[in-house]
């Protein structure tokens, strides 16, 4: 998704695990728009990102809601909480191995109703398989 954003010349920021931001490569990760996340203690992350948006910082935030490169049970809900908290839309991106395509798709305004918002997300990703289909995590939140 970062490559797509850079190709479109969008000012992007992305979330990455804090370990990636240590020397010697940490400065590169930040230079590329990275925001470190302490996954063991992510308290305040959503509030910080909402504050950045409310403070006038202009950027597109790239979030991988699965939060991992392996199969899991649930998606992380931060992407919706950030969007609702900042009053911003969500644009869904994808990598689809079946069609060998990538892109930016649907943009929608989250309502704050998790089930309703996730129904929109599920409908969009229903026909997309990801780079490694065996590692796909179905779009659902622990909170649902």
């Amino acid at each position: 998704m970062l490559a797509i954003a850079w190709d479109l010349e969008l000012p992007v920021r992305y979330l990455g695990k804090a370990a990636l931001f240590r020397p010697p490569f940490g400065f590169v990760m930040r230079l590329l728009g990275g925001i470190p996340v302490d996954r063991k203690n992510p308290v305040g992350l959503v509030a910080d990102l909402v504050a950045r948006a409310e403070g006038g910082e202009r950027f597109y935030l790239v979030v991988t809601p699965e939060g991992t490169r392996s199969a899991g049970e649930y998606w992380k809900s931060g992407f919706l909480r950030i969007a609702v908290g900042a009053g911003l839309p969500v644009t869904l991106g994808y990598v689809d191995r079946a069609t060998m395509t990538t892109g930016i798709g649907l943009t929608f305004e989250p309502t704050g109703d998790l089930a309703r918002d996730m129904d929109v997300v599920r409908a969009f990703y229903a026909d997309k398989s990801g780079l490694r289909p065996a590692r796909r995590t179905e779009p659902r939140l622990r909170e649902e």
Side-chain angles (χ1 to χ4, degrees):
M1 291 316 311
L2 289 175
I4 292 168
W6 290 326
D7 186 55
L8 296 173
E9 298 182 8
L10 301 174
V12 296
R13 306 284 296 201
Y14 66 93
L15 304 177
K17 63 181 178 180
L20 297 173
F21 291 83
R22 293 187 196 130
F25 300 110
F27 77 95
V28 173
M29 299 298 282
R30 285 181 179 81
L31 182 69
L32 296 174
I35 298 171
V37 177
D38 179 355
R39 295 191 306 177
K40 291 181 181 166
N41 186 23
V43 175
L45 177 65
V46 171
D48 175 57
L49 292 166
V50 168
R52 288 174 188 238
E54 289 175 342
E57 186 176 342
R58 300 201 31 96
F59 60 92
Y60 295 88
L61 182 63
V62 176
V63 179
T64 56
E66 287 185 69
T68 183
R69 290 181 307 268
S70 59
E73 265 189 87
Y74 304 102
W75 279 23
K76 306 235 183 236
S77 61
F79 76 104
L80 282 175
R81 292 186 293 128
I82 293 164
V84 169
L88 297 171
V90 170
T91 299
L92 303 173
Y94 64 94
V95 174
D96 187 12
R97 184 179 184 134
T99 60
M100 299 301 281
T101 59
T102 64
I104 295 175
L106 173 74
T107 296
F108 73 99
E109 296 282 340
T111 65
D113 177 338
L114 287 179
R116 186 173 164 193
D117 293 338
M118 286 305 293
D119 283 344
V120 172
V121 173
R122 281 186 278 275
F124 177 78
Y125 287 114
D127 64 344
K128 300 188 177 48
S129 64
L131 183 62
R132 294 185 177 88
R135 295 183 183 175
R136 176 182 167 95
T137 300
E138 289 301 318
R140 64 184 170 136
L141 304 176
R142 183 182 317 271
E143 298 92 326
E144 288 187 277

